Amino acid sequence: MRKIILVAAGLFVSASSQAQILDVIKSTVKDKTGIDLNTPIKTKSTTSTTTTTSPKTSSVNLNSLTSTEVSSGLKQALNLGVTEGVKKLGVTDGFYKNELVKILMPEKLRAIDTKLRMVGLGSLADQGVKLLNRAAEDAVTESAPIFANAITSMTITDAKNILLGTDNAATNYLQTKTQSQLFTAFQPKVKASLGKVGADTVWKSLISKYNMLTGQAVTTDLNEYVTTETINGVFKMVAEKESGIRNNSVMRTTSILQKVFGAQDSK
């Protein structure tokens, strides 16, 4: 029991000494710095003022664009697609060696290809296909103003919906609205090109040989077929350009393209 009392007394003395040392430290700090360690330090209220910053997705907000701006941006993208597409297609092999747009044998006449090759006339079939593409390459150079007029006269009432649509939404819209107009305006040019490159003559010979060999009477409107395929080829090139502008900021080479398609980046 005596031992316990002695230990307790020792702890008391130790604690008392510590308290005295702490008082000396506090007094010294107050004398040297003026800071009273006995006075609780007031802390600023830490009201939650954390600002949540959403990721910066675009410097332009869609709501800041007018329908006129959106329409102008879409039309400019389409015009660029037409200009570049026609330039690429309107040269030798522009259609023929481009798998995206190459004009094949008309579907209803593909039996001709098989039959002619069976009797050793495959070269005539190859020449026929090549000349269809040559006619398209010749005629397409005349299509640029026709497409440009269709784009200019296009009214986009739902411009922002098109902007936020698929990668080729504007191209699809234009094709739906102008296909028949383009066909009517472009068909005479294709007819002239078919005659110019000799495609009409070769195909008359080709079909004649087939009919003679099979005893059938196969006919097709080459002018209608090539006109449709040429127009579709240009639209494929326009769609490719539109997709590029939508997905690659480097291809937005004007301020209106940067503004309009920069806004759609955050869709």
Side-chain angles (χ1 to χ4, degrees):
M1 181 67 178
R2 182 179 177 186
K3 186 176 180 180
I4 294 173
I5 293 172
L6 288 173
V7 171
L11 289 174
F12 175 78
V13 171
S14 177
S16 176
S17 298
Q18 290 177 5
Q20 290 175 357
I21 293 170
L22 183 59
D23 287 340
V24 171
I25 292 173
K26 289 181 179 180
S27 176
T28 303
V29 170
K30 185 174 182 180
D31 290 341
K32 297 292 184 181
T33 66
I35 298 174
D36 188 353
L37 296 179
N38 289 317
T39 304
I41 298 174
K42 293 183 179 180
T43 57
K44 292 184 179 180
S45 175
T46 55
T47 305
S48 180
T49 56
T50 305
T51 304
T52 55
T53 55
S54 56
K56 186 177 180 181
T57 53
S58 173
S59 59
V60 182
N61 189 294
L62 273 176
N63 293 327
S64 70
L65 297 175
T66 66
S67 292
T68 300
E69 287 176 324
V70 175
S71 177
S72 296
L74 293 173
K75 288 180 180 180
Q76 191 170 105
L78 292 172
N79 270 311
L80 278 173
V82 167
T83 302
E84 293 184 14
V86 168
K87 185 177 180 181
K88 290 178 181 178
L89 297 176
V91 296
T92 301
D93 292 331
F95 272 87
Y96 190 60
K97 290 189 177 180
N98 183 340
E99 293 302 318
L100 179 66
V101 298
K102 181 179 180 180
I103 300 175
L104 305 176
M105 184 86 70
E107 189 172 357
K108 63 184 286 188
L109 296 179
R110 284 174 194 170
I112 293 178
D113 184 83
T114 304
K115 296 289 184 183
L116 290 175
R117 293 183 190 283
M118 287 173 61
V119 295
L121 294 174
S123 60
L124 183 60
D126 291 338
Q127 185 184 14
V129 170
K130 180 179 285 189
L131 289 177
L132 292 184
N133 285 273
R134 290 288 181 263
E137 290 158 7
D138 181 71
V140 76
T141 57
E142 302 290 329
S143 70
I146 298 173
F147 275 91
N149 182 61
I151 292 169
T152 302
S153 61
M154 178 180 64
T155 301
I156 303 183
T157 55
D158 51 349
K160 290 186 178 179
N161 288 334
I162 292 175
L163 179 64
L164 295 177
T166 59
D167 281 356
N168 58 348
T171 305
N172 287 341
Y173 179 89
L174 179 64
Q175 187 168 12
T176 300
K177 295 292 184 180
T178 65
Q179 180 88 18
S180 59
Q181 301 168 236
L182 288 167
F183 183 91
T184 301
F186 195 45
Q187 192 173 30
K189 300 183 184 301
V190 171
K191 183 177 182 179
S193 291
L194 286 168
K196 180 179 176 181
V197 303
D200 53 355
T201 302
V202 170
W203 273 88
K204 281 179 184 177
S205 173
L206 203 156
I207 292 173
S208 174
K209 289 183 183 296
Y210 174 78
N211 289 342
M212 182 178 66
L213 289 168
T214 63
Q216 299 179 18
V218 175
T219 60
T220 189
D221 188 339
L222 283 182
N223 190 16
E224 179 179 340
Y225 176 68
V226 175
T227 299
T228 300
E229 290 299 297
T230 304
I231 291 173
N232 288 343
V234 175
F235 275 124
K236 287 177 182 178
M237 299 297 283
V238 175
E240 189 175 60
K241 183 67 174 180
E242 180 190 350
S243 177
I245 291 173
R246 283 181 181 272
N247 296 297
N248 187 350
S249 60
V250 175
M251 295 181 69
R252 301 166 192 167
T253 52
T254 67
S255 58
I256 189 65
L257 289 178
Q258 290 165 4
K259 183 174 184 179
V260 171
F261 289 96
Q264 66 96 55
D265 286 344
S266 61
K267 68 180 181 179

